């Protein structure tokens, strides 16, 4: 057995280790389910062909076979985007409002979508931390391998603690039904839907390449933003949501998006760039991906790789340019909780 095969085994073991992340979880959470982070029937089902979608396969063995690149893989809608992060009772009761209704949007609905994004990220990050920790005592580690694991553990611990800080804020707000504390901007489209996603990130640079917050600052908490697609009455929407505790970087991120569109750049390109650069939880319509030019496919894969490769040097202006002209989404309506927007 090698370190990398044990790493994979440990990763899989942690993925299967379910627990309920609901804010009221406890001893009564007895039936942990494989919960969808992207809705199965109203989202994955809408873009599925033959019951399947494409998701990027970024596990190490697959990437090794493809020159270190993540590649799209056909996944059944029952498995796509799932994580063992909720018990059946809590998943059904908490997300009923969004699973059974199109996004209007209301603050309660966007808060629930955002909570699901945060919980999935929490699950993934906690697993990564515990995988690395369990390999730290691997018997035949070389000094160099031990150093890599130690620095990866430190990085994951920091990332996880930062996320945990926000999960607690979300837990409190949702448990007290304080949905007013959430802000959002939703872009609605009637264009064909070819991509589903749900993700969170700590915004570091804006759409002009200007710094929003310093990820290296260990003293102050960082703001976090969620983004996700959702079904609406007229079609679907691309949504950006955050809690008021993250107002500053999120306001500035959206202001830079507005400036970029005012300067003549296309909104759909910017949102697609954000999707591919800041999230690895996607599902694509198979025929849409297959119809893309090879150059477009390779540009998307390079973006996703930047996100996965911890040693990759990401330029400050990664949200400013790239991936233009690949999606053909027309946005017809904008909804927002922000008073100053029109
Ligand atoms: Zn539960």
């Amino acid at each position: 057995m090698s370190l990398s095969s044990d790493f994979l085994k440990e990763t899989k073991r942690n993925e299967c280790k379910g627990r309920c992340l609901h804010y009221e979880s406890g001893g009564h959470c007895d039936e942990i389910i494989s919960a969808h982070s992207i809705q199965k029937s109203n989202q994955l089902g809408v873009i599925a062909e033959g019951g399947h979608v494409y998701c990027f396969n970024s596990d190490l063995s697959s990437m090794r076979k493809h020159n270190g690149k993540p590649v799209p893989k056909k996944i059944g809608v029952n498995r796509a985007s799932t994580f063992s992060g909720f018990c059946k009772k809590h998943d059904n009761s908490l997300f009923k409002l969004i699973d059974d209704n199109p996004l209007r949007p209301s603050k309660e609905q966007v808060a629930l979508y955002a909570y699901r994004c945060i919980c999935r990220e929490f699950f993934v990050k906690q697993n990564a931390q515990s995988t690395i920790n369990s390999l730290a005592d691997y018997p035949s580690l070389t000094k160099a391998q031990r150093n890599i694991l130690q620095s990866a553990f430190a990085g994951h611990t920091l990332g996880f603690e930062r996320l945990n800080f926000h999960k607690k804020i979300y837990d409190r707000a949702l448990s007290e039904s304080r949905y007013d504390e959430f802000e959002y901007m939703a872009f609605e489209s009637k264009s064909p839907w070819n991509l589903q996603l749900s993700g969170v990130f700590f915004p570091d640079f804006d759409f002009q390449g200007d710094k929003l917050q310093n990820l290296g600052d260990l003293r102050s908490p960082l703001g976090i933003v969620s983004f996700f697609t959702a079904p609406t009455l007229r079609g679907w929407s691309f949504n950006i949501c955050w809690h008021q505790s993250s107002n500053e970087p999120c306001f500035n991120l959206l202001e830079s998006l507005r400036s970029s569109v005012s300067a003549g750049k296309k909104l759909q390109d910017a949102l697609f760039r954000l999707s591919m650069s800041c999230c690895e939880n996607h599902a694509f319509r198979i025929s849409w991906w297959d119809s893309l030019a090879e150059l477009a496919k390779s540009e998307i894969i390079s973006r996703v790789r930047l996100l996965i490769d911890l040693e990759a040097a990401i330029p400050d202006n990664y949200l400013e340019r790239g991936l233009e002209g690949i999606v053909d989404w027309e946005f017809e309506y904008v909804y927002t909780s922000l008073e100053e927007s029109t």
Side-chain angles (χ1 to χ4, degrees), residues 66-242:
H66 297 91
N67 297 323
K69 292 179 185 166
V71 289
K73 185 183 174 191
K74 246 186 205 185
I75 308 267
V77 290
N78 285 335
R79 281 183 47 230
S81 91
T82 54
F83 69 115
S84 308
F86 285 104
C87 71
K88 188 174 183 183
K89 191 188 94 181
H90 278 141
D91 187 67
N92 287 346
S93 59
L94 184 63
F95 299 116
K96 192 172 171 33
L97 178 72
I98 54 173
D99 286 345
D100 294 352
N101 298 284
L103 186 71
R104 288 202 308 257
S106 70
K107 282 202 169 192
E108 181 174 1
Q109 285 181 309
V110 291
L112 290 172
Y113 272 100
Y115 188 64
R116 203 179 235 167
C117 297
I118 289 259
C119 288
R120 179 195 174 266
E121 190 72 7
F122 184 96
F123 184 82
V124 170
K125 288 279 182 298
Q126 196 171 41
N127 287 352
Q129 194 192 23
S130 103
T131 299
I132 295 170
N133 194 30
S134 61
L135 292 176
D137 297 325
Y138 196 80
S140 56
L141 280 186
T142 64
K143 198 174 169 202
Q145 285 172 325
R146 200 173 298 280
N147 286 343
I148 292 171
L149 274 181
Q150 277 168 353
S151 80
F153 183 71
H156 278 289
T157 301
L158 175 64
F160 177 68
E161 280 168 5
R162 283 176 160 166
L163 194 62
N164 194 19
F165 172 84
H166 289 284
K167 181 170 184 297
K168 284 181 182 159
I169 292 175
Y170 277 54
D171 283 345
R172 276 196 299 272
L174 265 68
S175 66
E176 294 166 18
S177 304
R178 287 187 275 110
Y179 308 116
D180 257 1
E181 295 178 2
F182 291 86
E183 306 288 0
Y184 64 85
M185 188 158 279
F187 304 96
E188 191 180 32
S189 173
K190 289 195 271 190
S191 302
W193 210 359
N194 35 41
L195 168 67
Q196 304 289 357
L197 61 99
S198 108
V200 295
F201 80 114
F202 296 101
D204 48 358
F205 292 95
D206 68 13
F207 290 90
Q208 279 78 41
D210 293 326
K211 188 172 270 189
L212 291 166
Q213 52 186 350
N214 182 4
L215 301 196
D217 178 0
L218 305 182
R219 288 162 306 173
S220 8
L222 294 175
I224 197 166
V225 63
S226 309
F227 56 105
F228 51 89
T229 47
T232 64
L233 271 177
R234 286 181 281 212
W236 61 276
S237 63
F238 190 107
N239 313 281
I240 298 175
C241 171
W242 66 97

Side-chain angles (χ1 to χ4, degrees), residues 6-109:
D6 279 1
F7 184 84
L8 280 177
K9 220 163 54 183
E10 188 63 21
T11 302
K12 293 259 180 278
R13 200 176 68 82
N14 277 315
E15 279 170 8
C16 297
K17 212 163 52 183
R19 62 261 187 202
C20 182
L21 300 178
H22 187 279
Y23 52 81
E24 281 174 353
S25 63
H28 51 292
C29 301
D30 52 359
E31 193 184 345
I32 303 297
I33 56 164
S34 201
H36 279 89
S37 58
I38 300 173
Q39 288 174 32
K40 184 181 154 193
S41 55
N42 296 326
Q43 292 193 246
L44 296 170
V46 173
I47 63 162
E49 291 172 342
H52 288 77
V53 291
Y54 273 148
C55 296
F56 273 110
N57 188 349
S58 55
D59 77 41
L60 286 176
S61 62
S62 159
M63 285 179 46
R64 213 177 287 133
K65 278 186 221 147
H66 297 91
N67 297 323
K69 292 179 185 166
V71 289
K73 185 183 174 191
K74 246 186 205 185
I75 308 267
V77 290
N78 285 335
R79 281 183 47 230
S81 91
T82 54
F83 69 115
S84 308
F86 285 104
C87 71
K88 188 174 183 183
K89 191 188 94 181
H90 278 141
D91 187 67
N92 287 346
S93 59
L94 184 63
F95 299 116
K96 192 172 171 33
L97 178 72
I98 54 173
D99 286 345
D100 294 352
N101 298 284
L103 186 71
R104 288 202 308 257
S106 70
K107 282 202 169 192
E108 181 174 1
Q109 285 181 309

